[in-house]
Amino acid sequence: MPANDNNENQELLNLIGDDAFTRLCTVFGGTRLHVSNSDRSRKRLNIIVGAENTEKMIFHFDGVALTLPMLSSLEIKKRHQAIIEDAKKGMSHRDIAMKYDLTDRQVRRIISDS
């Protein structure tokens, strides 16, 4: 995913919150979602993220086609963040690997890539 898509996704996540972002990714993940101030777009978004978040999205992204990640890639990013947090708290690589059903080597790579 291009860096600009990552920036837009992070901005969207910060704007509407984790639950609404996850719902969007469940419905539209792996595709482009065109956000517009049309009745059709507004109704569709209201159902998925609620009226308040719909208004926020239209205000910030009107006319933009957002590329949303597939939920699986979103879950992997969340797991990587949890692994990094566990390491910062002092948990050993071995314990982290056992907790997330990974190898020590995978844990070291995730932590070094952060």
Side-chain angles (χ1 to χ4, degrees):
M1 187 176 341
N4 192 37
D5 290 341
N6 285 334
N7 292 340
E8 286 177 346
N9 285 327
Q10 187 61 51
E11 185 179 346
L12 179 59
L13 174 62
N14 293 341
L15 183 69
I16 66 174
D18 191 49
D19 290 339
F21 186 76
T22 299
R23 286 193 303 275
L24 272 179
C25 291
T26 299
V27 176
F28 296 107
T31 65
R32 294 178 64 80
L33 170 65
H34 184 78
V35 179
S36 71
N37 193 8
S38 68
D39 287 338
R40 181 175 180 233
S41 180
R42 189 178 300 278
K43 286 177 186 176
R44 180 177 50 185
L45 289 173
N46 276 341
I47 292 168
I48 299 167
V49 299
E52 183 180 338
N53 285 328
T54 295
E55 295 307 317
K56 289 178 186 177
M57 287 179 65
I58 290 171
F59 180 79
H60 289 283
F61 295 105
D62 188 20
V64 175
L66 300 169
T67 301
L68 296 169
M70 296 195 62
L71 190 57
S72 59
S73 64
L74 182 65
E75 293 299 322
I76 289 170
K77 286 180 183 181
K78 285 182 184 179
R79 183 186 68 182
H80 285 192
Q81 275 306 116
I83 288 168
I84 292 164
E85 290 302 315
D86 284 345
K88 287 179 181 176
K89 292 176 185 171
M91 189 181 268
S92 72
H93 290 174
R94 180 181 180 277
D95 289 342
I96 294 171
M98 290 173 58
K99 178 178 178 180
Y100 295 97
D101 196 28
L102 298 171
T103 65
D104 288 348
R105 184 176 179 181
Q106 287 171 309
V107 170
R108 284 192 306 275
R109 183 187 50 78
I110 290 166
I111 293 168
S112 69
D113 288 348
S114 66

